[in-house]
Short mmCIF file of all heavy atoms in Angstrom, two decimals:
data_model
loop_
_atom_site.label_atom_id
_atom_site.label_comp_id
_atom_site.label_asym_id
_atom_site.label_seq_id
_atom_site.Cartn_x
_atom_site.Cartn_y
_atom_site.Cartn_z
N LEU A 257 117.09 -137.78 4.25
CA LEU A 257 116.91 -138.31 5.61
C LEU A 257 117.41 -139.75 5.70
O LEU A 257 118.01 -140.15 6.70
CB LEU A 257 115.44 -138.23 6.01
CG LEU A 257 114.88 -136.80 6.17
CD1 LEU A 257 113.38 -136.84 6.44
CD2 LEU A 257 115.61 -136.07 7.31
N ASP A 258 117.19 -140.53 4.64
CA ASP A 258 117.67 -141.91 4.61
C ASP A 258 119.20 -141.96 4.62
O ASP A 258 119.80 -142.75 5.34
CB ASP A 258 117.12 -142.60 3.37
CG ASP A 258 117.51 -144.07 3.31
OD1 ASP A 258 117.23 -144.80 4.28
OD2 ASP A 258 118.10 -144.49 2.30
N LEU A 259 119.82 -141.10 3.84
CA LEU A 259 121.28 -141.06 3.78
C LEU A 259 121.87 -140.59 5.11
O LEU A 259 122.92 -141.08 5.56
CB LEU A 259 121.74 -140.14 2.64
CG LEU A 259 121.46 -140.66 1.23
CD1 LEU A 259 121.62 -139.55 0.20
CD2 LEU A 259 122.39 -141.82 0.91
N GLN A 260 121.18 -139.67 5.76
CA GLN A 260 121.65 -139.20 7.07
C GLN A 260 121.57 -140.32 8.10
O GLN A 260 122.51 -140.53 8.89
CB GLN A 260 120.83 -138.00 7.52
CG GLN A 260 121.32 -137.39 8.85
CD GLN A 260 120.54 -136.16 9.25
OE1 GLN A 260 119.40 -135.95 8.81
NE2 GLN A 260 121.13 -135.32 10.09
N ARG A 261 120.47 -141.07 8.08
CA ARG A 261 120.33 -142.19 9.03
C ARG A 261 121.42 -143.24 8.82
O ARG A 261 121.90 -143.85 9.78
CB ARG A 261 118.95 -142.85 8.87
CG ARG A 261 117.80 -142.09 9.52
CD ARG A 261 116.54 -142.93 9.55
NE ARG A 261 116.06 -143.23 8.20
CZ ARG A 261 115.19 -142.47 7.55
NH1 ARG A 261 114.72 -141.37 8.11
NH2 ARG A 261 114.79 -142.81 6.34
N ASN A 262 121.83 -143.42 7.57
CA ASN A 262 122.83 -144.44 7.25
C ASN A 262 124.26 -143.91 7.25
O ASN A 262 125.19 -144.62 6.86
CB ASN A 262 122.51 -145.05 5.88
CG ASN A 262 121.24 -145.88 5.92
OD1 ASN A 262 121.02 -146.69 6.82
ND2 ASN A 262 120.37 -145.67 4.93
N ASN A 263 124.41 -142.66 7.70
CA ASN A 263 125.75 -142.04 7.80
C ASN A 263 126.52 -142.12 6.47
O ASN A 263 127.74 -142.36 6.46
CB ASN A 263 126.57 -142.71 8.91
CG ASN A 263 125.96 -142.50 10.28
OD1 ASN A 263 125.60 -141.38 10.64
ND2 ASN A 263 125.84 -143.58 11.04
N LYS A 264 125.82 -141.92 5.37
CA LYS A 264 126.45 -141.97 4.05
C LYS A 264 126.95 -140.58 3.68
O LYS A 264 126.17 -139.62 3.66
CB LYS A 264 125.45 -142.45 3.00
CG LYS A 264 125.99 -142.49 1.57
CD LYS A 264 127.06 -143.55 1.39
CE LYS A 264 127.51 -143.66 -0.05
NZ LYS A 264 128.58 -144.66 -0.23
N PRO A 265 128.24 -140.42 3.38
CA PRO A 265 128.73 -139.11 2.91
C PRO A 265 127.94 -138.66 1.68
O PRO A 265 127.82 -139.42 0.72
CB PRO A 265 130.19 -139.38 2.58
CG PRO A 265 130.57 -140.56 3.41
CD PRO A 265 129.33 -141.41 3.49
N THR A 266 127.41 -137.46 1.74
CA THR A 266 126.47 -137.01 0.70
C THR A 266 126.80 -135.60 0.25
O THR A 266 127.09 -134.72 1.07
CB THR A 266 125.03 -137.04 1.23
OG1 THR A 266 124.71 -138.36 1.68
CG2 THR A 266 124.04 -136.62 0.16
N ILE A 267 126.76 -135.40 -1.07
CA ILE A 267 126.88 -134.07 -1.66
C ILE A 267 125.58 -133.75 -2.38
O ILE A 267 125.07 -134.56 -3.16
CB ILE A 267 128.04 -134.00 -2.67
CG1 ILE A 267 129.38 -134.21 -1.97
CG2 ILE A 267 128.05 -132.67 -3.41
CD1 ILE A 267 130.57 -134.30 -2.92
N LEU A 268 125.02 -132.57 -2.09
CA LEU A 268 123.86 -132.08 -2.82
C LEU A 268 124.30 -130.84 -3.59
O LEU A 268 124.63 -129.81 -3.00
CB LEU A 268 122.72 -131.72 -1.87
CG LEU A 268 121.50 -131.01 -2.49
CD1 LEU A 268 120.86 -131.85 -3.58
CD2 LEU A 268 120.48 -130.63 -1.42
N ILE A 269 124.35 -130.96 -4.91
CA ILE A 269 124.70 -129.81 -5.75
C ILE A 269 123.41 -129.22 -6.28
O ILE A 269 122.53 -129.94 -6.74
CB ILE A 269 125.66 -130.22 -6.89
CG1 ILE A 269 126.09 -128.98 -7.69
CG2 ILE A 269 125.05 -131.28 -7.81
CD1 ILE A 269 127.23 -129.25 -8.66
N GLY A 270 123.29 -127.90 -6.17
CA GLY A 270 122.03 -127.30 -6.58
C GLY A 270 122.19 -125.88 -7.07
O GLY A 270 123.09 -125.15 -6.65
N VAL A 271 121.30 -125.49 -7.99
CA VAL A 271 121.23 -124.10 -8.41
C VAL A 271 120.60 -123.32 -7.26
O VAL A 271 119.74 -123.83 -6.53
CB VAL A 271 120.44 -123.98 -9.72
CG1 VAL A 271 118.99 -124.38 -9.54
CG2 VAL A 271 120.55 -122.58 -10.30
N THR A 272 121.03 -122.09 -7.07
CA THR A 272 120.71 -121.34 -5.86
C THR A 272 119.22 -121.26 -5.58
O THR A 272 118.76 -121.54 -4.47
CB THR A 272 121.31 -119.93 -5.95
OG1 THR A 272 122.70 -120.03 -6.26
CG2 THR A 272 121.14 -119.18 -4.65
N PHE A 273 118.43 -120.86 -6.57
CA PHE A 273 117.00 -120.65 -6.30
C PHE A 273 116.32 -121.96 -5.89
O PHE A 273 115.41 -121.96 -5.07
CB PHE A 273 116.30 -120.03 -7.52
CG PHE A 273 116.03 -120.96 -8.66
CD1 PHE A 273 114.90 -121.77 -8.68
CD2 PHE A 273 116.91 -121.05 -9.74
CE1 PHE A 273 114.65 -122.64 -9.73
CE2 PHE A 273 116.66 -121.90 -10.79
CZ PHE A 273 115.54 -122.71 -10.79
N ALA A 274 116.78 -123.10 -6.45
CA ALA A 274 116.15 -124.38 -6.12
C ALA A 274 116.49 -124.81 -4.70
O ALA A 274 115.65 -125.39 -3.99
CB ALA A 274 116.59 -125.45 -7.12
N LEU A 275 117.72 -124.54 -4.26
CA LEU A 275 118.09 -124.85 -2.88
C LEU A 275 117.27 -124.01 -1.90
O LEU A 275 116.80 -124.53 -0.86
CB LEU A 275 119.58 -124.57 -2.66
CG LEU A 275 120.56 -125.49 -3.41
CD1 LEU A 275 121.99 -124.98 -3.26
CD2 LEU A 275 120.45 -126.94 -2.91
N LEU A 276 117.07 -122.75 -2.22
CA LEU A 276 116.26 -121.88 -1.35
C LEU A 276 114.80 -122.34 -1.33
O LEU A 276 114.17 -122.38 -0.26
CB LEU A 276 116.35 -120.43 -1.82
CG LEU A 276 117.70 -119.74 -1.60
CD1 LEU A 276 117.75 -118.42 -2.36
CD2 LEU A 276 117.96 -119.51 -0.11
N ASP A 277 114.26 -122.68 -2.50
CA ASP A 277 112.88 -123.17 -2.55
C ASP A 277 112.72 -124.42 -1.68
O ASP A 277 111.71 -124.58 -0.98
CB ASP A 277 112.50 -123.52 -4.00
CG ASP A 277 112.31 -122.29 -4.88
OD1 ASP A 277 112.27 -121.17 -4.33
OD2 ASP A 277 112.22 -122.44 -6.11
N PHE A 278 113.72 -125.30 -1.73
CA PHE A 278 113.63 -126.57 -0.99
C PHE A 278 113.60 -126.34 0.51
O PHE A 278 112.75 -126.90 1.22
CB PHE A 278 114.81 -127.47 -1.37
CG PHE A 278 114.82 -128.79 -0.64
CD1 PHE A 278 114.01 -129.84 -1.07
CD2 PHE A 278 115.61 -128.98 0.48
CE1 PHE A 278 114.00 -131.06 -0.39
CE2 PHE A 278 115.61 -130.19 1.16
CZ PHE A 278 114.80 -131.22 0.72
N ILE A 279 114.53 -125.52 1.03
CA ILE A 279 114.59 -125.37 2.49
C ILE A 279 113.43 -124.54 3.05
O ILE A 279 113.12 -124.64 4.24
CB ILE A 279 115.93 -124.77 2.95
CG1 ILE A 279 116.18 -123.40 2.30
CG2 ILE A 279 117.07 -125.74 2.69
CD1 ILE A 279 117.41 -122.69 2.86
N GLU A 280 112.78 -123.75 2.21
CA GLU A 280 111.60 -123.03 2.69
C GLU A 280 110.49 -124.01 3.04
O GLU A 280 109.70 -123.78 3.95
CB GLU A 280 111.11 -122.04 1.63
CG GLU A 280 111.95 -120.78 1.55
CD GLU A 280 111.43 -119.80 0.53
OE1 GLU A 280 110.46 -120.12 -0.19
OE2 GLU A 280 112.01 -118.69 0.43
N LYS A 281 110.45 -125.14 2.32
CA LYS A 281 109.43 -126.15 2.58
C LYS A 281 109.93 -127.26 3.49
O LYS A 281 109.16 -127.86 4.23
CB LYS A 281 108.95 -126.75 1.25
CG LYS A 281 108.17 -125.79 0.37
CD LYS A 281 107.77 -126.40 -0.95
CE LYS A 281 108.94 -126.42 -1.92
NZ LYS A 281 108.55 -126.84 -3.30
N HIS A 282 111.23 -127.54 3.43
CA HIS A 282 111.78 -128.70 4.14
C HIS A 282 113.10 -128.37 4.84
O HIS A 282 114.17 -128.87 4.44
CB HIS A 282 112.00 -129.86 3.16
CG HIS A 282 110.81 -130.22 2.35
ND1 HIS A 282 109.66 -130.77 2.89
CD2 HIS A 282 110.56 -130.09 1.01
CE1 HIS A 282 108.78 -130.98 1.93
NE2 HIS A 282 109.29 -130.58 0.79
N PRO A 283 113.07 -127.55 5.88
CA PRO A 283 114.32 -127.27 6.60
C PRO A 283 114.89 -128.55 7.22
O PRO A 283 114.13 -129.42 7.66
CB PRO A 283 113.91 -126.26 7.66
CG PRO A 283 112.43 -126.42 7.81
CD PRO A 283 111.91 -126.85 6.47
N LEU A 284 116.22 -128.65 7.23
CA LEU A 284 116.90 -129.84 7.72
C LEU A 284 117.90 -129.50 8.80
O LEU A 284 118.29 -128.34 8.97
CB LEU A 284 117.65 -130.53 6.57
CG LEU A 284 116.86 -131.24 5.48
CD1 LEU A 284 117.81 -131.69 4.38
CD2 LEU A 284 116.12 -132.45 6.07
N ASP A 285 118.34 -130.52 9.51
CA ASP A 285 119.48 -130.41 10.42
C ASP A 285 120.42 -131.55 10.08
O ASP A 285 120.37 -132.63 10.67
CB ASP A 285 119.02 -130.48 11.88
CG ASP A 285 120.18 -130.31 12.85
OD1 ASP A 285 121.24 -129.79 12.42
OD2 ASP A 285 120.04 -130.70 14.02
N PHE A 286 121.26 -131.32 9.07
CA PHE A 286 122.10 -132.38 8.50
C PHE A 286 123.53 -131.83 8.37
O PHE A 286 124.01 -131.54 7.29
CB PHE A 286 121.54 -132.78 7.13
CG PHE A 286 122.12 -134.03 6.52
CD1 PHE A 286 121.52 -134.59 5.39
CD2 PHE A 286 123.25 -134.68 7.04
CE1 PHE A 286 122.03 -135.74 4.79
CE2 PHE A 286 123.77 -135.82 6.45
CZ PHE A 286 123.15 -136.34 5.33
N PRO A 287 124.23 -131.66 9.52
CA PRO A 287 125.53 -130.97 9.50
C PRO A 287 126.60 -131.67 8.67
O PRO A 287 127.55 -131.02 8.23
CB PRO A 287 125.93 -130.92 10.99
CG PRO A 287 125.07 -131.92 11.67
CD PRO A 287 123.81 -132.03 10.89
N GLU A 288 126.46 -132.97 8.42
CA GLU A 288 127.48 -133.69 7.64
C GLU A 288 127.28 -133.51 6.14
O GLU A 288 128.15 -133.84 5.33
CB GLU A 288 127.44 -135.19 7.96
CG GLU A 288 127.74 -135.53 9.41
CD GLU A 288 126.52 -135.36 10.32
OE1 GLU A 288 125.38 -135.31 9.79
OE2 GLU A 288 126.71 -135.26 11.55
N LEU A 289 126.13 -132.98 5.74
CA LEU A 289 125.81 -132.82 4.33
C LEU A 289 126.69 -131.74 3.70
O LEU A 289 126.91 -130.68 4.28
CB LEU A 289 124.33 -132.44 4.18
CG LEU A 289 123.80 -132.15 2.78
CD1 LEU A 289 123.85 -133.40 1.90
CD2 LEU A 289 122.37 -131.61 2.86
N ILE A 290 127.20 -132.01 2.50
CA ILE A 290 127.92 -130.99 1.73
C ILE A 290 126.94 -130.38 0.74
O ILE A 290 126.41 -131.05 -0.13
CB ILE A 290 129.12 -131.60 0.97
CG1 ILE A 290 130.18 -132.10 1.96
CG2 ILE A 290 129.73 -130.56 0.02
CD1 ILE A 290 131.34 -132.83 1.30
N ILE A 291 126.68 -129.09 0.94
CA ILE A 291 125.84 -128.33 0.00
C ILE A 291 126.76 -127.58 -0.94
O ILE A 291 127.57 -126.76 -0.52
CB ILE A 291 124.93 -127.33 0.74
CG1 ILE A 291 123.95 -128.06 1.65
CG2 ILE A 291 124.18 -126.46 -0.27
CD1 ILE A 291 122.93 -128.90 0.92
N MET A 292 126.62 -127.86 -2.23
CA MET A 292 127.43 -127.18 -3.24
C MET A 292 126.50 -126.38 -4.14
O MET A 292 125.77 -126.94 -4.94
CB MET A 292 128.23 -128.20 -4.06
CG MET A 292 129.20 -127.57 -5.05
SD MET A 292 130.05 -128.81 -6.06
CE MET A 292 130.98 -129.68 -4.81
N GLU A 293 126.52 -125.05 -3.95
CA GLU A 293 125.64 -124.23 -4.80
C GLU A 293 126.41 -123.80 -6.03
O GLU A 293 127.60 -123.52 -5.98
CB GLU A 293 125.05 -123.06 -4.02
CG GLU A 293 126.05 -122.10 -3.43
CD GLU A 293 126.32 -120.94 -4.34
OE1 GLU A 293 125.62 -120.81 -5.35
OE2 GLU A 293 127.26 -120.19 -4.06
N THR A 294 125.69 -123.80 -7.14
CA THR A 294 126.35 -123.51 -8.40
C THR A 294 125.80 -122.26 -9.06
O THR A 294 125.81 -122.10 -10.26
CB THR A 294 126.29 -124.74 -9.33
OG1 THR A 294 127.09 -124.50 -10.49
CG2 THR A 294 124.87 -125.06 -9.73
N GLY A 295 125.27 -121.39 -8.21
CA GLY A 295 125.06 -120.01 -8.61
C GLY A 295 123.78 -119.69 -9.34
O GLY A 295 123.18 -120.52 -10.00
N GLY A 296 123.36 -118.47 -9.17
CA GLY A 296 122.33 -117.91 -10.02
C GLY A 296 120.90 -118.12 -9.57
O GLY A 296 120.52 -119.20 -9.15
N MET A 297 120.12 -117.06 -9.64
CA MET A 297 118.68 -117.15 -9.39
C MET A 297 117.91 -117.40 -10.69
O MET A 297 116.73 -117.73 -10.65
CB MET A 297 118.18 -115.85 -8.74
CG MET A 297 118.74 -115.59 -7.36
SD MET A 297 118.31 -116.86 -6.15
CE MET A 297 118.93 -116.09 -4.65
N LYS A 298 118.58 -117.24 -11.85
CA LYS A 298 117.97 -117.49 -13.16
C LYS A 298 116.67 -116.72 -13.34
O LYS A 298 115.75 -117.15 -14.04
CB LYS A 298 117.68 -118.99 -13.36
CG LYS A 298 118.82 -119.92 -12.98
CD LYS A 298 120.04 -119.66 -13.82
CE LYS A 298 121.15 -120.65 -13.45
NZ LYS A 298 122.44 -120.30 -14.02
N GLY A 299 116.56 -115.57 -12.67
CA GLY A 299 115.35 -114.77 -12.79
C GLY A 299 114.19 -115.29 -11.98
O GLY A 299 113.10 -114.73 -12.04
N ARG A 300 114.42 -116.37 -11.20
CA ARG A 300 113.31 -116.99 -10.44
C ARG A 300 113.10 -116.32 -9.08
O ARG A 300 112.01 -116.39 -8.53
CB ARG A 300 113.60 -118.48 -10.21
CG ARG A 300 114.01 -119.28 -11.44
CD ARG A 300 112.85 -119.70 -12.31
NE ARG A 300 113.30 -120.58 -13.38
CZ ARG A 300 113.12 -121.89 -13.40
NH1 ARG A 300 112.47 -122.50 -12.43
NH2 ARG A 300 113.57 -122.61 -14.42
#
């Protein structure tokens, strides 16, 4: 949220299950954000 307010170009790289866990608790509206998923549920 701080980076969005400051218009800072941001990349969030995440393993798939962790990205899903995060947005279930904290949905965002950050269209400038680059989400880079790096695959796999790792059995989670």
Side-chain angles (χ1 to χ4, degrees):
L257 293 174
D258 183 55
L259 291 166
Q260 184 178 21
R261 282 192 296 269
N262 292 313
N263 296 312
K264 178 68 176 178
T266 303
I267 295 174
L268 172 60
I269 184 169
V271 65
T272 307
F273 76 84
L275 293 172
L276 290 168
D277 288 349
F278 179 80
I279 58 173
E280 283 181 356
K281 292 177 282 188
H282 307 293
L284 289 173
D285 182 18
F286 191 169
E288 299 81 18
L289 177 64
I290 294 174
I291 297 293
M292 185 183 295
E293 60 94 8
T294 188
M297 295 298 188
K298 314 298 183 191
R300 310 279 186 105

